[in-house]
Amino acid sequence: MGKSGQLALRLTIGCSATVLALAIGQAPAVAMAQSVRAKTAIQLPAQPLEQSLKDVARRTGVNILFSPALVSGRRASAIDGTMTAEDAVSRLIAGTNLKIIGDGRGGIVLRVRQMGEARAARGAATDPISAGAGQALAAQGDDTAGDIIVTATKSRQRLVDVPASITAETGAQLRRRGATQLQDIVATTPGLSNPGQGSGNGTNLVIRGVTTDRSASLKQSTVSVLFDDIPVDPATAGLEATNLRIVDVERIEVLRGPQGTLFGSGSLSGAVRYITNKPDATRISGSIEGSFAGTKSGADSQWGNAVLNLPLVADRVAVRAVGYAFDEGGWVDNIPFDRRNVNRNRTYGGRIGLLAQATDRLRVTLTGAYQHSRDYAGGESLYFQPAGSDKQVSTNRDSGDSSVKSTIANLGLTYDLGGVSLFSSSTYLHRKVEFLQDFGFYTDLLQLQFGLPALDNATPGRTYNSANIFMQELRVASNGQGPFRWTLGAFYLRSRTPRGGQTVTAPGLLPYLGTDNLIDVSAPGGQEEISGFGEATYSIADTLDLTAGLRVAKTSLDITSTSSGLLVTGSGTDVFVSHAPSDETSVNPRVSLLYRPTGQLSLYAQAARGYRVGGANLTAGLAGPGIPLTYKSDTLWNYEVGIKTSLMDGRLQINADVYYIDWSDLQISLDNNNINYTGNAGAARLYGFEAEVAAKPASWLDLGGSLALNDAALTQDTPNLVRPNGVVGVTAGQRLPASSRVQAAAYAQLNFRIGDDPAYVRASGQYVGPAYSDFASEGIRFGDYGTVDLRAGIVHDAVEITVFVRNLLDGDGKRSASPAFTLGPIFGSAQNAYRVRPRQIGLTGRIDF
């Protein structure tokens, strides 16, 4: 087609859009006056705002008048529910500079909002959501394309209106930068780190430096990971982390600071929320995506996913199915066993969701999800690599083969009563963990102790946990746009762990000692939690929000451990039994103040308390009276002030905050005669600064970056704490371990066209400051590294092709590290580091339909 033909086509399309926008308003006025007050079931995906407005007009029969110039280039978030046409349009334009006025005939007219008219933009985005379904408005697909809508307070709000420190990324943004797992979230989120031993199942999420160790061990994590508001790693489901894969998500939110009021235990320092895409009853859609990548001096990787959304009853019932598989090659060679690329990971899983608008007031969602993640090795390599080696190597006998399986079933109900909404979320979670290791150094030790001849020192060890967990949340919340908004709820959790413990056997000892049982600990038990919570917000003069909330929770633990084995009782036949019940009540308030001088600027201050539940020491009594049966919860108060902006119609966003944390009764991993246990000891203070900037100075350029500064130190002496380096005691003022004082990230993206096809080139980088494995900046040093990534992509019709390079400069940054381990005269393992993946080059193809 020639230039004149293209011009004629564009003029035709532009005129047609204008005519259609005006033609929508031609229905009879009487019918319109009736329709504008009628509620209709409306479910729309995230799409161009113009299309969403047309869809609302078609489904409700209401005149909607607008100039195409006002909505050109804007995207609307997904909406789902039973509502009036005015409610639907209010949600679609939430966070924009548009307002609704009447046309005198019962229709709707869109105009530009003037200064001071902030209520319409804000109020339309504050009606609550279903806890189980996790319904939320999606943010725009560009990196900076308007106000982002989040659900951190279990209601829909603009990010700029939430009085808390939050990082939110949409599914489109995550896909654009190639995020596939938790470590990719860590890389770009200020204040979030992972000093864990391994990037997959060994992940140990830390927010704002709230940690005393590189791994969570048997303790509950200080950061809660939630799948549509469902905690995937409750307290009694310990061991390893559930590294949820990022596939078909609407948004991921990282909430910094304690979230105990609304999200309960486990969110001591914050929460990471996966908000998944829900079934869409308006159209068939889906995608197929596949990737292949090669790693320098390592094995190849491949991964992919498929999504299918299928309406079953138009505008009423739909099903959505997702499947994915990851096979990520390793890059570390194991020297003793002559094995190459041992740190491989394989993950596969999927989910299926059913959404039914049963009546105009009742919405039902049913979700099932499964994921199995296996790390074939921990991924450690020698801290000091052999001279001249171009490959990372390990000399450990066996670093561990871990497997985490999670199965989730959820039923969500939402009932609209007009002034209030009722919500119910019923969840069953089955979590099974298995961790295999070779403890040959134990056999070596006993061989020397008993003067035995040379033995086959293969000593397989197995640590395991299997939990069946039921969770029920009920909530009632106000609807509407009034100055007073509130939420009241109750939560119940019952966890049963029929199988949990550890076994270590040494077949080589059997002929000489009459037993091969070195360790056999079995610890079945359960946890029960019941809590009530509430939060209310009152707005004054459209500029000041006062919020107060409270959660009261009672937690009961009842675990019985049975222990035997040469290394725990001194014989192969003696058995030690301990019963460790415990009950605790926790009270967690939150208060905040948010001042909004304009619709694009917010200043806030808040104070909040968080907690982490206590637990039982399975090894109590094995090393004498020094190990308590249980340890109690630890708590912290977080105080922060911040500023949030969404300027230039969302093209410039700046968020910053400063915080101070008072942490007491720290849960610390301790050691007594090589028997591990957990205790409460001391207190700490942490303070810091966080900032994020995202800018779109031109349609062809996206820029952004983040910075986090943190200082964490003890405020009490703890003379009986056994440190990783063997020194006993810590003193006030000493720095906490495993957390960097500085984190920074930045990106730049160029957007352009090749012919008629949109394309982009993106460069990003991150820096992680130094951290230490022990208190007082002692022990093994890690961190102090940077990485650079490149991505480029093009979209032709429904096909997207992306090429990428991760770790462009092929750095060997140490994400974590562990000291050498000795057991008396026996050498257990060398000094090790856990490094970032070497340079990886790959290709991704995607088809949307």
Side-chain angles (χ1 to χ4, degrees):
M1 181 182 294
K3 291 184 178 179
S4 60
Q6 293 180 15
L7 177 60
L9 179 61
R10 291 172 184 170
L11 288 174
T12 301
I13 293 173
C15 292
S16 299
T18 303
V19 171
L20 180 59
L22 295 175
I24 291 173
Q26 299 308 307
V30 174
M32 188 59 60
Q34 295 173 348
S35 299
V36 76
R37 291 189 297 269
K39 287 190 174 184
T40 305
I42 301 176
Q43 185 185 57
L44 298 177
Q47 61 183 351
L49 176 57
E50 183 174 350
Q51 183 60 50
S52 290
L53 292 171
K54 294 174 184 177
D55 289 344
V56 171
R58 175 176 58 84
R59 296 183 188 188
T60 62
V62 173
N63 294 342
I64 303 177
L65 302 179
F66 59 89
S67 167
L70 286 181
V71 299
S72 177
R74 298 180 187 267
R75 286 187 62 82
S77 302
I79 60 173
D80 182 9
T82 301
M83 65 197 80
T84 66
E86 184 174 352
D87 288 339
V89 175
S90 295
R91 297 187 187 191
L92 292 173
I93 65 173
T96 72
N97 63 344
L98 301 178
K99 67 177 181 179
I100 294 175
I101 62 174
D103 67 353
R105 299 178 300 159
I108 294 172
V109 179
L110 294 186
R111 292 287 185 266
V112 175
R113 188 174 68 249
Q114 303 300 315
M115 287 292 293
E117 298 178 316
R119 170 79 56 194
R122 186 178 68 259
T126 56
D127 50 337
I129 62 168
S130 161
Q135 290 290 343
L137 293 177
Q140 288 80 355
D142 293 334
D143 286 338
T144 54
D147 291 314
I148 293 179
I149 306 299
V150 297
T151 56
T153 59
K154 295 196 175 182
S155 64
R156 291 191 283 263
Q157 289 181 283
R158 297 188 308 159
L159 180 60
V160 73
D161 291 326
V162 180
S165 180
I166 301 172
T167 294
E169 288 188 278
T170 68
Q173 292 170 336
L174 293 162
R175 192 173 67 247
R176 181 59 57 91
R177 68 179 182 84
T180 62
Q181 59 179 315
L182 277 173
Q183 185 59 34
D184 296 323
I185 304 303
V186 172
T188 59
T189 304
L192 179 66
S193 61
N194 171 27
Q197 300 178 22
S199 60
N201 299 337
T203 297
N204 177 30
L205 293 180
V206 173
I207 290 180
R208 292 179 170 174
V210 180
T211 184
T212 58
D213 202 347
R214 290 166 293 111
S215 66
S217 187
L218 296 178
K219 305 183 295 294
Q220 186 178 25
S221 175
T222 64
V223 178
S224 181
V225 177
L226 301 120
F227 172 86
D228 281 343
D229 287 350
I230 301 168
V232 296
D233 295 329
T236 52
L239 295 178
E240 303 297 275
T242 301
N243 180 25
L244 286 177
R245 292 296 181 155
I246 304 170
V247 179
D248 192 42
V249 298
E250 182 180 298
R251 186 179 63 260
I252 289 182
E253 298 174 4
V254 179
L255 284 57
R256 290 180 288 272
Q259 306 298 318
T261 302
L262 290 178
F263 295 102
S265 67
S267 55
L268 179 72
S269 64
V272 178
R273 304 179 63 221
Y274 286 65
I275 312 298
T276 62
N277 284 320
K278 303 304 180 296
D280 177 2
T282 65
R283 60 179 180 177
I284 298 174
S285 62
S287 63
I288 299 174
E289 181 178 304
S291 299
F292 178 84
T295 298
K296 180 184 177 183
S297 302
D300 294 336
S301 302
Q302 45 273 321
W303 60 93
N305 65 79
V307 180
L308 176 63
N309 183 89
L310 187 64
L312 302 179
V313 179
D315 298 334
R316 286 286 181 177
V317 182
V319 64
R320 190 179 190 94
V322 180
Y324 56 89
F326 292 78
D327 188 349
E328 296 170 312
W331 64 88
V332 177
D333 290 353
N334 183 278
I335 300 301
F337 291 93
D338 192 26
R339 296 173 182 169
R340 294 178 56 80
N341 305 320
V342 294
N343 57 323
R344 176 188 184 190
N345 170 272
R346 295 188 68 184
T347 301
Y348 60 89
R351 68 176 185 270
I352 186 167
L354 176 70
L355 182 145
Q357 191 69 44
T359 70
D360 288 345
R361 293 181 177 273
L362 176 63
R363 183 177 67 232
V364 180
T365 60
L366 185 62
T367 304
Y370 175 80
Q371 178 175 290
H372 179 198
S373 177
R374 181 182 177 187
D375 289 341
Y376 287 75
E380 77 285 347
S381 58
L382 290 174
Y383 190 90
F384 299 103
Q385 291 291 301
S389 173
D390 64 348
K391 189 72 178 290
Q392 296 181 31
V393 298
S394 170
T395 59
N396 279 4
R397 192 187 308 270
D398 187 357
S399 65
D401 182 326
S402 66
S403 170
V404 179
K405 300 177 182 178
S406 298
T407 303
I408 297 174
N410 174 264
L411 172 65
L413 304 174
T414 305
Y415 194 79
D416 185 355
L417 293 176
V420 299
S421 291
L422 301 177
F423 309 95
S424 171
S425 174
S426 307
T427 302
Y428 169 75
L429 168 64
H430 177 68
R431 189 174 186 274
K432 182 178 180 180
V433 179
E434 190 170 56
F435 189 70
L436 306 177
Q437 285 179 282
D438 189 320
F439 292 94
F441 48 83
Y442 284 141
T443 300
D444 294 342
L445 179 67
L446 293 173
Q447 175 191 353
L448 288 177
Q449 181 178 348
F450 290 100
L452 303 177
L455 300 172
D456 176 3
N457 60 4
T459 309
R462 175 173 174 260
T463 306
Y464 57 95
N465 178 279
S466 179
N468 298 303
I469 303 161
F470 172 75
M471 290 171 279
Q472 175 66 50
E473 181 167 340
L474 297 173
R475 194 163 78 250
V476 57
S478 61
N479 293 332
Q481 304 175 16
F484 184 61
R485 304 178 298 278
W486 53 269
T487 299
L488 291 173
F491 177 80
Y492 175 75
L493 178 147
R494 185 188 66 206
S495 175
R496 294 293 180 264
T497 307
R499 299 173 62 253
Q502 182 182 53
T503 61
V504 179
T505 58
L509 294 174
L510 183 60
Y512 302 97
L513 303 182
T515 182
D516 62 356
N517 179 15
L518 299 188
I519 299 174
D520 189 352
V521 177
S522 175
Q527 172 190 350
E528 196 166 39
E529 176 184 338
I530 185 168
S531 60
F533 62 90
E535 189 168 89
T537 298
Y538 187 76
S539 296
I540 301 175
D542 199 27
T543 58
L544 191 64
D545 289 354
L546 306 175
T547 300
L550 181 70
R551 188 184 194 101
V552 179
K554 181 179 180 181
T555 303
S556 301
L557 290 172
D558 192 352
I559 298 176
T560 299
S561 65
T562 303
S563 306
S564 65
L566 285 172
L567 296 177
V568 291
T569 64
S571 79
T573 57
D574 292 346
V575 176
F576 178 82
V577 178
S578 68
H579 181 218
S582 67
D583 291 278
E584 284 191 287
T585 299
S586 179
V587 179
N588 297 278
R590 172 180 176 263
V591 293
S592 68
L593 176 69
L594 184 137
Y595 174 59
R596 214 175 7 258
T598 72
Q600 295 183 319
L601 171 65
S602 296
L603 305 171
Y604 74 89
Q606 77 152 337
R609 186 179 189 266
Y611 72 108
R612 173 174 50 167
V613 300
N617 281 312
L618 307 183
T619 53
L622 300 183
I627 299 180
L629 287 174
T630 62
Y631 56 93
K632 63 181 182 179
S633 61
D634 53 352
T635 60
L636 62 76
W637 274 97
N638 178 86
Y639 310 92
E640 69 179 80
V641 295
I643 182 172
K644 296 184 177 185
T645 68
S646 180
L647 307 173
M648 300 170 58
D649 196 21
R651 293 183 178 275
L652 176 62
Q653 298 163 4
I654 303 173
N655 300 330
D657 65 80
V658 294
Y659 61 86
Y660 179 86
I661 295 173
D662 186 5
W663 186 13
S664 58
D665 294 322
L666 280 62
Q667 292 180 10
I668 298 181
S669 297
L670 304 176
D671 182 270
N672 187 354
N673 294 327
N674 293 312
I675 301 297
N676 295 321
Y677 72 100
T678 300
N680 297 95
R685 63 100 185 109
L686 307 91
Y687 60 85
F689 167 80
E690 297 157 342
E692 292 181 284
V693 177
K696 195 177 186 67
S699 61
W700 52 269
L701 180 62
D702 295 310
L703 301 171
S706 64
L707 174 67
L709 307 175
N710 173 270
D711 188 275
L714 294 165
T715 57
Q716 290 182 5
D717 295 348
T718 309
N720 62 339
L721 187 150
V722 180
R723 294 164 55 180
N725 62 5
V727 176
V728 178
V730 292
T731 60
Q734 290 184 338
R735 177 181 172 182
L736 295 183
S739 181
S740 300
R741 287 179 171 172
V742 181
Q743 289 177 268
Y747 68 86
Q749 179 173 307
L750 300 177
N751 308 299
F752 54 94
R753 286 185 175 273
I754 299 177
D756 291 331
D757 298 331
Y760 72 94
V761 174
R762 181 186 184 96
S764 60
Q766 71 163 142
Y767 172 75
V768 178
Y772 298 84
S773 63
D774 200 356
F775 291 84
S777 297
E778 296 178 357
I780 308 302
R781 189 177 189 266
F782 55 95
D784 194 18
Y785 69 88
T787 59
V788 176
D789 300 336
L790 290 179
R791 297 181 67 83
I794 185 171
V795 180
H796 178 71
D797 294 332
V799 179
E800 180 177 358
I801 301 296
T802 305
V803 294
F804 58 87
V805 183
R806 294 174 175 168
N807 193 7
L808 174 68
L809 304 180
D810 195 33
D812 63 349
K814 304 177 182 68
R815 293 187 304 97
S816 185
S818 58
F821 171 71
T822 58
L823 192 64
I826 302 301
F827 174 78
S829 66
Q831 209 175 84
N832 288 306
Y834 299 81
R835 293 176 165 86
V836 298
R837 179 183 287 271
R839 182 189 300 120
Q840 184 182 55
I841 301 175
L843 174 72
T844 297
R846 178 183 175 89
I847 300 175
D848 289 289
F849 57 89

